[in-house]
Amino acid sequence: MGRDLGDADLYTTPDRYAMWREHALTDRAVHSGPGSSPSGFWSVFSHGACREVLAPTAPFTSEYGMMIGFDADHRDRSGGRMLVVTDGHHHSRLRKVVAPFLSRAMASTLRDFIRQEVRSLLSRPLRTGGAVDAAVAIGPRLPAAVVCEVLGVPAVDRGRLIELTNHAFGGEDSAFDAMTPSEAHSEILMYFWELIAERRRRPGGDLVSVLLAEEDLSVKDVLVNCDNVLVGGNETTRHALTGCLHALATAPDTLDALRRDPGLLPTVVEEMIRWTSPAMHVLRIATADTTVAGQPVGRGEAVVAWLPAANRDERVFDRPDVFVPDRTPNRHLGFGHGPHHCLGAALARAELEGLLEVLAEEARSVAVVGEPQWMRSNLVQGYRGLTVELERLDELQPAPA
């Protein structure tokens, strides 16, 4: 029996990339026995195998849960109710209700809001020229503001919800050891229970109100989907935004290239998503006997697709470890694949575009101070700390702090 690939300690250093590359090149399914998951699971790493598992016609379900640690004998408590762990007709219907709030049209509507938030976040580090921990002061703030805007969460509550999502998806990391993930989720649900009660009294144009207007959705259904949108909209995008600054430091000509050719922006954003790959894995349960990467997989067994490994598969991506701003084509799986392709992809792209636009307008360069500190997590490839210095584009001397 090999190592337990659900062990969060494996993902706290860049050594994970060599491990993923080795597995992707052999292109075999690897089994992890009971440990991080009571029933064990198969893992696939290559770009092709991950697409195979997540494909629309693949014989797999998400309703037992989409993370390592599933219980093979019981569906996820939100399975069939929460968008991310729902399949078939109900999944399609939920997507139809939620999609307008996370769409390209919504992203376009929020463009000025996003740029305003970015300018506010970058104002002090650009003005002072001092070092700032982007994993704390920049990355979490923008997606929280955007998703709370969509959900209709009052600005006064946003800081608390950022803290709770940190715990909900970073709870294995020692930085968040004051609260377990389940405790954080409970507090998130309690908050939304109160917000739902308020929206039932005073409906608005926000997503919570629209979900409540759906006749076949119970209040509990609305509750778990609010949790889904909050955590999904915050947790991966915050690390993509932090990783954006990390990537710019490795490719210092990128901002100059964007100033020369703003049309390069969408290409740079796609490479940011590939290179950062915050969503580390997606789990599925086989609904029938099948074969994955040449390995027979029985009905009821779990298969985990490791997305960052697929996004650095050297048979698909030349120089996969290098951030290449003008990389084309770019068939990354950063937002997944198939029917559960990330519904918030347009908003995540818009937030990355907003950050890059403002940086290109106002920053000469980005430098990383010290080594990135990685979270201890098997779910999110994220930053525990990333200290950066931003140099202003103009020649003005930094103002005193």
Side-chain angles (χ1 to χ4, degrees):
M1 186 68 64
R3 71 182 87 184
D4 177 9
L5 292 168
D7 181 358
D9 287 326
L10 294 175
Y11 308 105
T12 58
T13 74
D15 293 345
R16 62 189 181 276
Y17 294 117
M19 177 185 70
W20 283 332
R21 179 176 299 107
E22 178 184 349
H23 286 311
L25 286 174
T26 58
D27 204 10
R28 294 198 303 265
V30 178
H31 194 265
S32 293
S36 57
S37 182
S39 304
F41 56 91
W42 293 99
S43 288
V44 295
F45 303 86
S46 71
H47 191 273
C50 288
R51 281 178 60 92
E52 178 186 353
V53 169
L54 302 177
T57 58
F60 292 98
T61 179
S62 67
E63 292 193 1
Y64 284 76
M66 48 80 70
M67 304 178 237
I68 292 169
F70 79 104
D71 182 344
D73 297 321
H74 300 91
R75 291 197 319 175
D76 186 284
R77 285 179 296 177
S78 300
R81 299 167 63 186
M82 182 189 288
L83 184 61
V84 73
V85 285
T86 298
D87 295 319
H89 172 73
H90 194 53
H91 176 259
S92 298
R93 190 165 188 280
L94 275 172
R95 282 184 75 95
K96 186 175 181 180
V97 174
V98 175
F101 290 87
L102 308 178
S103 65
R104 290 181 183 178
M106 177 61 76
S108 179
T109 299
L110 291 173
R111 182 176 183 274
D112 289 343
F113 173 83
I114 289 170
R115 286 173 58 87
Q116 178 182 341
E117 290 292 320
V118 172
R119 290 188 190 282
S120 176
L121 290 170
L122 298 183
S123 174
R124 182 175 177 81
L126 281 170
R127 178 172 56 83
T128 64
V132 61
D133 186 349
V136 175
I138 298 174
R141 306 293 164 177
L142 178 59
V146 170
V147 78
C148 287
E149 189 80 2
V150 167
L151 286 165
V153 173
V156 69
D157 296 334
R158 292 176 184 177
R160 176 59 175 159
L161 288 179
I162 292 171
E163 179 186 351
L164 289 173
T165 55
N166 285 346
H167 288 294
F169 269 53
E172 291 184 88
D173 193 284
S174 61
F176 307 122
D177 60 5
M179 179 182 292
T180 67
S182 61
E183 289 170 342
H185 271 118
S186 294
E187 290 208 28
I188 290 170
L189 293 173
M190 288 175 63
Y191 173 81
F192 278 115
W193 189 267
E194 295 173 0
L195 183 62
I196 287 168
E198 174 62 22
R199 291 296 178 268
R200 293 179 78 183
R201 291 190 296 268
R202 299 180 183 85
D206 52 81
L207 178 55
V208 177
S209 300
V210 170
L211 286 169
L212 284 168
E214 292 292 310
E215 293 182 357
D216 62 345
L217 293 183
S218 70
V219 172
K220 289 184 178 180
D221 292 336
V222 175
L223 186 66
V224 296
N225 281 288
C226 288
D227 178 43
N228 186 184
V229 171
L230 174 75
V231 176
N234 271 317
E235 197 53 29
T236 53
T237 307
R238 63 176 291 189
H239 296 296
L241 291 163
T242 302
C244 177
L245 295 166
H246 186 187
L248 291 173
T250 73
D253 294 335
T254 304
L255 292 178
D256 280 337
L258 286 170
R259 283 187 279 270
R260 289 192 303 269
D261 179 12
L264 185 61
L265 184 61
T267 302
V268 176
V269 166
E270 295 309 309
E271 178 67 349
M272 287 291 180
I273 296 161
R274 183 201 70 85
W275 193 80
T276 58
S277 290
M280 195 180 287
H281 79 258
V282 180
L283 179 144
R284 296 288 185 264
I285 305 296
T287 55
D289 293 347
T290 189
T291 300
V292 176
Q295 172 65 46
V297 173
R299 181 179 182 273
E301 290 192 276
V303 178
V304 172
W306 293 90
L307 302 181
N311 285 341
R312 297 203 181 198
D313 186 336
E314 61 187 43
R315 291 166 300 182
V316 178
F317 304 99
D318 181 46
R319 296 182 294 156
D321 291 337
V322 179
F323 174 77
V324 181
D326 59 352
R327 185 186 296 276
T328 54
N330 198 333
R331 298 170 52 226
H332 68 77
L333 303 182
F335 292 123
H337 176 63
H340 282 276
H341 181 275
C342 178
L343 196 57
L347 285 185
R349 287 184 170 108
E351 291 169 41
L352 283 165
E353 287 180 359
L355 177 60
L356 285 164
E357 285 175 334
V358 174
L359 284 168
E361 292 169 4
E362 301 190 8
R364 182 180 305 279
S365 64
V366 179
V368 171
V369 180
E371 293 295 320
Q373 301 298 309
W374 298 99
M375 285 176 57
R376 181 180 179 271
S377 174
N378 65 17
L379 181 61
V380 177
Q381 183 174 221
Y383 295 84
R384 192 171 185 263
L386 183 78
T387 302
V388 300
E389 290 180 345
L390 306 180
E391 181 185 1
R392 289 183 64 175
L393 183 60
D394 60 37
E395 300 300 327
L396 295 176
Q397 293 298 312

